[in-house]
Amino acid sequence: MKAIQLRNPDDARSLELVDTDTPQLREGEVLVKVHAAGVNRADLLQARGHYPPPPGASEIIGLECAGVIVDPGTTGRREGEEVACLLSGGAYAEFVAVPEGQLMPIPEGYSMTEAAAVVEVACTVWSNLGMLAGLRAGQTVLIHGGAGGIGTFAIQLCKQLGATVAVTAGSAEKLETCRELGADILVNYREEDFAEVLKGRCDVILDIIGAKYLRQNLRALNEDGQLIIIGLQGGVKTEINLGALLPRRLSIRGTTLRARSTEGKAEVVASTIENVWPLLADSRVTHHIHATFPLAEAAAAHELLDSGEVTGKLVLEA
Amino acid sequence: MKAIQLRNPDDARSLELVDTDTPQLREGEVLVKVHAAGVNRADLLQARGHYPPPPGASEIIGLECAGVIVDPGTTGRREGEEVACLLSGGAYAEFVAVPEGQLMPIPEGYSMTEAAAVVEVACTVWSNLGMLAGLRAGQTVLIHGGAGGIGTFAIQLCKQLGATVAVTAGSAEKLETCRELGADILVNYREEDFAEVLKGRCDVILDIIGAKYLRQNLRALNEDGQLIIIGLQGGVKTEINLGALLPRRLSIRGTTLRARSTEGKAEVVASTIENVWPLLADSRVTHHIHATFPLAEAAAAHELLDSGEVTGKLVLEA
Ligand SMILES: NC(=O)c1ccc[n+]([C@@H]2O[C@H](COP(=O)([O-])OP(=O)(O)OC[C@H]3O[C@@H](n4cnc5c(N)ncnc54)[C@H](OP(=O)(O)O)[C@@H]3O)[C@@H](O)[C@H]2O)c1
Ligand SMILES: NC(=O)c1ccc[n+]([C@@H]2O[C@H](COP(=O)([O-])OP(=O)(O)OC[C@H]3O[C@@H](n4cnc5c(N)ncnc54)[C@H](OP(=O)(O)O)[C@@H]3O)[C@@H](O)[C@H]2O)c1
């Protein structure tokens, strides 16, 4: 089959479509012909050699796709069934092997491209804000990077949960997109200190920055506030004042979807289908696609995402 | 009334029984004549001027007591009713005003002294390990300072919840006490690195050390592990590597019972009565009193607790 690989392991831009082996199915996996694959920030890291796939996962880049089952293996699935897939890797290819628990239906009314744009963001946002944080109506949530792939989806989902939504982003245009998606409180992090604006008001923070924002995030939290860190774009190491946690009963938690076990991913996928898919079916929450590229032009897609000019998601098409 | 006060604000040892005003009842409070008051490590800090009472709370030291209602105020309580009380302050005195939601029955078969020895530890341990962490049968919990007031109670309660219990303490004698109370894994922190012994095995850690143990605590946690910090005996500021949290989905949380609102304390008290008091009634969990002192000798009790020679609780008697 064809798949995207690095021609030169030291050059993250040298992504090329090359011939490689079609994946072998393991027990409980189906083979999917990929029609569309979403691009994630983690893919840029992996191309740079910074985010190696978990043990046993495909070495090929790509954490989500939509396509058609061409070999159901030992599962009871049907050949020809259209599916969206949460992956530990392997989406930037013609075929990918997928554990049955990571298959999702194509959301009602969605194209393959649209489906590939929502799998990773839906599972990430729901597992963190719904399953873990238990975000409730009337609470205030802060979403850093509101105009990103995660952010554009999180804003809409949090509004559906009845929360007041605050976001940060780096430009007025991006903040305007956030407002259109439903965000209530807009902070341009290049001009304002979000901790000053939101001091003591946030019940939950979905953070993609890490070290650089830790102190400010803790300041922004309300009593019983939860900081959930899913990205470390602002570094991993910093000083912490644990004394800040106790009187307000704050919590700090970090998670990665990719590192979860097959069972853990299946649990997230099942809960996301149950709780989020109905919201997609009647467009209460929608995909937000910035641009699409042919799979062969993965390098160009990565370059665009890296530029910081993207609002929402990029998708590669077969 | 008589109460313990600092004769010299700069000398934590100058605790003396002096005349002062009997507390005025506020709406929803009852007046309790104190028969016994538990001594807590926080009391030592307060005597040193390091742990000021929350706004509105009594300036008098003392976070728990047992006694008799002498004025039910506007509540429906009965004069002469014997009660145990969770307090924001005020126990080292002849009388204390107590919000009704912070009254507990005297545990079945308990003396006043015994009741005063369990209120703070029961509410603290249950609110953190039961209500917050949701400790379950089959999980492993690490309790730092297993031979202290909190520790001696936590070991027993965790065994009742069906957990495997690991403890740290600073001497073989203290560890032997922990073993007798039910602890399964004993670590002398002066001789061994607990993180080495418990690496990746703990589902929950109840920590009283803070900064000094942060890195080791994170190492000791299992996937989805929860670090709950209730004391900062080893300092507040340290470096954190947030990258350690994400792959194993670790969480760090800090809490203080004293800083909770009146409603928050009432919630903890009600849940503790429901879940812990029955275990006291049939001795599945018991008090662990090291020594008692007359109230007038509070200074001697503080000196003893400060010496590090105490196993379990100290109680002051009227
Ligand atoms: N742990 C997990 O399971 C998991 C799963 C999926 C994604 N993630 C992580 O989540 C993050 C977002 O992923 P994504 O796919 O949404 O990436 P993305 O589309 O590139 O979005 C990132 C956004 O962050 C904004 N940003 C950059 N610096 C910022 C700052 N200092 N303050 C606030 N916003 C800032 C960027 O735009 P502007 O700066 O122009 O506003 C951009 O919109 C990534 O770090 C990714 O690795 C984690
Ligand atoms: N946040 C809250 O709501 C709350 C409520 C109650 C208590 N607390 C806190 O919880 C802590 C314990 O309270 P307590 O009343 O149980 O005090 P305690 O009776 O004095 O117990 C503290 C224990 O810690 C042990 N210890 C000291 N250094 C240690 C170390 N490096 N590693 C492991 N153990 C160590 C001490 O004995 P050895 O060193 O000899 O083993 C002692 O047994 C205090 O910091 C207190 O302020 C917090």
Side-chain angles (χ1 to χ4, degrees):
Chain A
M1 70 165 186
K2 301 277 188 197
I4 290 289
Q5 286 189 348
L6 281 176
R7 186 169 30 85
N8 171 0
D10 295 329
D11 179 4
R13 290 165 310 173
S14 69
L15 295 172
E16 277 187 12
L17 202 57
V18 299
D19 284 308
T20 185
D21 295 336
T22 303
Q24 300 290 318
L25 291 192
R26 285 176 293 197
E27 182 56 34
E29 291 182 341
V30 305
L31 193 68
V32 170
K33 181 162 174 37
V34 177
H35 287 231
V39 178
N40 286 279
R41 187 150 287 270
D43 302 340
L44 308 191
L45 295 180
Q46 188 171 339
R48 288 199 193 95
H50 291 327
Y51 194 55
S58 168
E59 296 287 327
I60 297 169
I61 294 174
L63 299 172
E64 59 188 337
C65 73
V68 174
I69 295 178
V70 291
D71 180 351
T74 58
T75 74
R77 295 292 178 144
R78 186 173 49 76
E79 206 185 307
E81 188 181 340
E82 298 190 346
V83 287
C85 313
L86 179 71
L87 303 169
S88 304
Y92 287 20
E94 211 175 337
F95 297 100
V96 62
V98 190
E100 190 180 5
Q102 289 161 231
L103 299 175
M104 310 176 87
I106 304 288
E108 223 178 293
Y110 269 44
S111 68
M112 291 279 184
T113 298
E114 290 165 344
V118 294
V119 172
E120 174 76 16
V121 293
C123 290
T124 300
V125 173
W126 177 251
S127 62
N128 285 291
L129 297 182
M131 296 170 74
L132 276 186
L135 184 69
R136 294 188 310 272
Q139 290 191 318
T140 295
V141 60
L142 167 60
I143 298 160
H144 286 301
I150 293 284
T152 49
F153 196 89
I155 292 169
Q156 300 177 70
L157 187 61
C158 292
K159 287 312 294 179
Q160 286 300 319
L161 295 174
T164 296
V165 176
V167 295
T168 57
S171 74
E173 291 85 342
K174 286 191 174 179
L175 286 171
E176 177 55 21
T177 302
C178 295
R179 201 189 54 71
E180 286 164 11
L181 292 169
D184 303 290
I185 303 168
L186 311 171
V187 180
N188 185 330
Y189 67 81
R190 295 185 206 277
E191 294 174 356
E192 278 182 296
D193 175 0
F194 70 87
E196 208 43 60
V197 177
L198 292 162
K199 193 174 159 189
R201 285 167 66 188
C202 300
D203 299 296
V204 180
I205 299 178
L206 186 65
D207 179 48
I208 58 172
I209 303 300
K212 201 174 104 183
Y213 276 0
L214 181 63
R215 205 181 53 81
Q216 285 159 284
N217 277 332
L218 295 181
R219 271 192 76 205
L221 286 176
N222 193 355
E223 289 200 349
D224 294 307
Q226 306 180 59
L227 168 60
I228 302 196
I229 303 177
I230 64 165
L232 298 163
Q233 296 177 204
V236 297
K237 285 193 186 170
T238 187
E239 188 181 77
I240 185 168
N241 179 346
L242 296 171
L245 303 182
L246 276 64
R248 281 178 294 148
R249 298 181 299 282
L250 307 185
S251 62
I252 304 171
R253 168 177 241 159
T255 76
T256 27
L257 190 47
R258 194 185 195 182
R260 284 187 193 257
S261 65
T262 308
E263 297 70 41
K265 290 198 184 84
E267 206 183 308
V268 167
V269 161
S271 182
T272 304
I273 293 170
E274 184 184 338
N275 292 284
V276 182
W277 258 220
L279 303 174
L280 298 176
D282 58 12
S283 299
R284 278 178 287 167
V285 173
T286 67
H287 57 83
H288 198 87
I289 297 172
H290 182 95
T292 62
F293 290 80
L295 177 59
E297 290 171 28
H302 277 209
E303 201 179 326
L304 180 59
L305 186 58
D306 213 13
S307 73
E309 300 301 316
V310 174
T311 299
K313 291 284 294 187
L314 300 179
V315 183
L316 304 174
E317 296 179 313
Chain B
M1 70 165 185
K2 299 278 189 197
I4 290 289
Q5 286 189 350
L6 280 176
R7 187 170 28 85
N8 171 0
D10 294 330
D11 179 5
R13 291 166 308 175
S14 69
L15 295 172
E16 278 187 12
L17 200 58
V18 298
D19 284 308
T20 184
D21 295 337
T22 302
Q24 299 289 319
L25 291 192
R26 286 175 292 199
E27 182 57 34
E29 291 182 341
V30 305
L31 193 68
V32 169
K33 181 160 173 40
V34 178
H35 287 231
V39 177
N40 286 280
R41 188 149 285 270
D43 302 340
L44 308 191
L45 295 178
Q46 188 171 338
R48 288 201 193 94
H50 291 326
Y51 194 54
S58 168
E59 296 287 326
I60 297 169
I61 293 174
L63 299 171
E64 59 187 336
C65 73
V68 174
I69 296 178
V70 291
D71 179 352
T74 58
T75 73
R77 296 291 177 143
R78 186 173 49 77
E79 208 184 307
E81 187 180 341
E82 297 189 346
V83 287
C85 314
L86 179 71
L87 303 169
S88 305
Y92 286 21
E94 210 175 337
F95 297 100
V96 62
V98 189
E100 189 179 6
Q102 289 160 232
L103 299 176
M104 310 177 87
I106 303 288
E108 224 177 293
Y110 269 44
S111 68
M112 291 279 184
T113 298
E114 291 165 344
V118 294
V119 172
E120 174 77 16
V121 292
C123 290
T124 299
V125 174
W126 176 252
S127 61
N128 284 292
L129 298 182
M131 297 170 73
L132 277 185
L135 185 69
R136 294 189 309 274
Q139 291 191 318
T140 295
V141 61
L142 167 59
I143 298 160
H144 286 301
I150 293 285
T152 49
F153 197 89
I155 292 169
Q156 301 176 71
L157 186 61
C158 292
K159 287 312 294 177
Q160 286 301 319
L161 295 174
T164 296
V165 176
V167 295
T168 57
S171 73
E173 291 85 341
K174 286 191 174 178
L175 286 171
E176 177 55 21
T177 302
C178 296
R179 201 189 55 71
E180 286 163 12
L181 292 169
D184 304 289
I185 304 168
L186 312 171
V187 181
N188 184 330
Y189 68 80
R190 295 187 205 278
E191 294 174 357
E192 279 183 296
D193 175 0
F194 70 87
E196 209 43 62
V197 178
L198 292 162
K199 194 173 158 189
R201 285 167 67 188
C202 300
D203 299 295
V204 179
I205 299 177
L206 186 65
D207 179 49
I208 58 171
I209 302 299
K212 201 174 103 184
Y213 275 1
L214 181 63
R215 204 180 55 80
Q216 285 159 283
N217 277 332
L218 295 180
R219 272 191 76 205
L221 285 176
N222 193 356
E223 290 202 346
D224 294 307
Q226 306 180 59
L227 168 60
I228 303 197
I229 303 176
I230 64 164
L232 297 163
Q233 295 177 205
V236 297
K237 285 192 185 169
T238 186
E239 188 181 78
I240 185 168
N241 180 346
L242 296 171
L245 302 182
L246 275 65
R248 282 179 292 148
R249 299 180 299 283
L250 307 185
S251 62
I252 304 170
R253 169 177 241 160
T255 76
T256 27
L257 189 48
R258 193 185 196 182
R260 284 187 193 258
S261 65
T262 308
E263 297 70 39
K265 288 198 185 84
E267 207 183 307
V268 167
V269 161
S271 181
T272 304
I273 294 170
E274 184 183 337
N275 293 285
V276 182
W277 258 220
L279 303 175
L280 298 177
D282 58 13
S283 300
R284 279 179 286 167
V285 174
T286 66
H287 58 83
H288 197 88
I289 298 173
H290 182 96
T292 61
F293 289 80
L295 177 58
E297 290 171 26
H302 277 208
E303 201 179 326
L304 180 58
L305 186 58
D306 213 13
S307 74
E309 299 301 315
V310 174
T311 299
K313 292 282 296 186
L314 300 180
V315 183
L316 304 174
E317 296 178 313

